[in-house]
Amino acid sequence: MTLKTLQPYQQYFVPAIPRTPTNRYASIILLRETKSYAIFTTEGGEQQDVEQVPAGLTHAEPATRLVMFKRKQVAPERRTGKALLRQYGIFPYALKDGKVLYGDEALREKNHYDDCYLTEGLCTHCPDCLIYGYAAIEGEGARRARLMTDTCFTIRPYEIIQKQVKFNVIDEAAHTSGTITEYDYTTPGVFLPAVETGVDLTADEFTYVLGNVLRTTRYGKEGSRQGFLRNHILAIAFSDVELFANLEFTQALYDALVDAGKDLAAEGLTLADLQAHAPAVIEHLTAGLAGRLTLVTDKELEAILDDVRALNRDEEQLRRFLKGLNDESASFTV
Ligand SMILES: [Zn+2]
């Protein structure tokens, strides 16, 4: 049940989950914007993750930028998708004579899948496992992800978008003020440009990935549940080569803003600033592409996003969609 608005792009998707790659890329070009304080650290780290990189592609002076590693972007989106699969009754499921069974029918089968969770309990057959991949699992091997992204970087330098906040932890029992804890926070209104590239996805798998990007709002330090992020989708691109790295996207936007006279150290950045520059920046970055490219923006893009949102609002339609998606992935055999 391909979304109506994706039907004109049918040729850029695979008709069924492929066994070998054909390099049909469907990229989601987006801006991630913090809408609250957030913390981006690797496990156990006190300070946030930063990297020194050239500020722009043409302005080569060094800049220290906050980074959001790939896992910090993709893991929350996977969890969103998995929660949706559970909510809509995909689990338990079982495979019998090439048919996918659900609910009580599935429970009657000896080999049924009760759930699928990161990182120890991946079922290896649901849409999440087949799209986002998994590391080696006994008896199942490993599956390479068909969704690619890499580390993304803030546009403005770390020094400006970061804030140290001290908390005085009050001991309620002893009525004493105890340890002072200091946290390194990313402030609200910080932009991280990103591209998520689907490789050889079916149109429905792409719809699922897009839904996860639109639905996910919590990123950053795990366990704390803080860090509200809004994903703004700028374009969808169909190609047969990868477009550009997240860092290149950040650097090109930096160049465009500086060349337009924006003082990034003194002024804040708004979504409107970036939306104004994004089309020219994307065009510039893809001008010398060694492959074909179809860019979907403006009205056509909005129509697709509206279609995905409408699907996610309609309980019955979404139930049918997710079941169909799981039927495809669970019955897929190598
Ligand atoms: Zn799974």
Side-chain angles (χ1 to χ4, degrees), residues 76-124:
E77 292 164 12
R78 290 188 77 160
R79 283 197 292 269
T80 298
K82 278 180 194 295
L84 198 66
L85 295 175
R86 285 185 206 111
Q87 189 190 339
Y88 281 82
I90 293 305
F91 302 103
Y93 72 86
L95 191 66
K96 192 189 182 184
D97 307 328
K99 260 198 77 183
V100 186
L101 309 173
Y102 294 93
D104 289 342
E105 276 194 325
L107 287 175
R108 278 196 284 276
E109 296 303 313
K110 202 167 92 185
N111 293 323
H112 64 265
Y113 302 94
D114 279 317
D115 197 359
C116 178
Y117 52 92
L118 293 165
T119 52
E120 295 296 309
L122 290 168
C123 76
T124 72

Side-chain angles (χ1 to χ4, degrees), residues 15-202:
I17 302 170
R19 288 181 178 81
T20 50
T22 58
N23 286 6
R24 277 178 242 201
Y25 294 115
S27 302
I28 303 166
I29 303 174
L30 72 153
L31 293 168
R32 302 190 193 275
E33 180 189 11
T34 57
K35 287 286 190 182
S36 74
Y37 287 97
I39 301 178
F40 297 104
T41 55
T42 29
E43 269 31 85
E46 299 250 310
Q47 294 297 307
Q48 296 193 92
D49 305 314
V50 296
E51 194 59 70
Q52 208 181 65
V53 291
L57 294 171
T58 54
H59 298 87
E61 68 278 6
T64 304
R65 288 188 160 115
L66 175 87
V67 302
M68 193 177 168
F69 287 114
K70 172 185 161 182
R71 217 185 74 79
K72 296 278 165 191
Q73 301 171 66
V74 173
E77 292 164 12
R78 290 188 77 160
R79 283 197 292 269
T80 298
K82 278 180 194 295
L84 198 66
L85 295 175
R86 285 185 206 111
Q87 189 190 339
Y88 281 82
I90 293 305
F91 302 103
Y93 72 86
L95 191 66
K96 192 189 182 184
D97 307 328
K99 260 198 77 183
V100 186
L101 309 173
Y102 294 93
D104 289 342
E105 276 194 325
L107 287 175
R108 278 196 284 276
E109 296 303 313
K110 202 167 92 185
N111 293 323
H112 64 265
Y113 302 94
D114 279 317
D115 197 359
C116 178
Y117 52 92
L118 293 165
T119 52
E120 295 296 309
L122 290 168
C123 76
T124 72
H125 296 287
C126 76
D128 174 87
C129 285
L130 265 84
I131 295 168
Y132 296 94
Y134 47 85
I137 288 176
E138 216 183 304
E140 293 286 349
R143 176 163 294 280
R144 192 146 48 127
R146 280 182 293 139
L147 201 277
M148 305 191 293
T149 188
D150 51 45
T151 306
C152 62
F153 300 78
T154 55
I155 299 171
R156 303 173 77 206
Y158 174 68
E159 305 85 63
I160 295 167
I161 55 133
Q162 169 270 2
K163 195 172 181 178
Q164 293 292 128
V165 186
K166 275 185 186 163
F167 289 98
N168 194 352
V169 183
I170 309 281
D171 185 322
E172 278 191 311
H175 300 285
T176 53
S177 65
T179 41
I180 291 173
T181 328
E182 194 171 338
Y183 287 105
D184 175 19
Y185 279 104
T186 301
T187 53
V190 170
F191 291 94
L192 299 114
V195 186
E196 285 194 20
T197 302
V199 190
D200 296 331
L201 296 181
T202 65

Side-chain angles (χ1 to χ4, degrees), residues 230-244:
R230 186 63 78 187
N231 291 320
H232 307 285
I233 296 176
L234 299 171
I236 290 172
F238 300 108
S239 61
D240 56 5
V241 283
E242 268 200 277
L243 303 179
F244 41 79

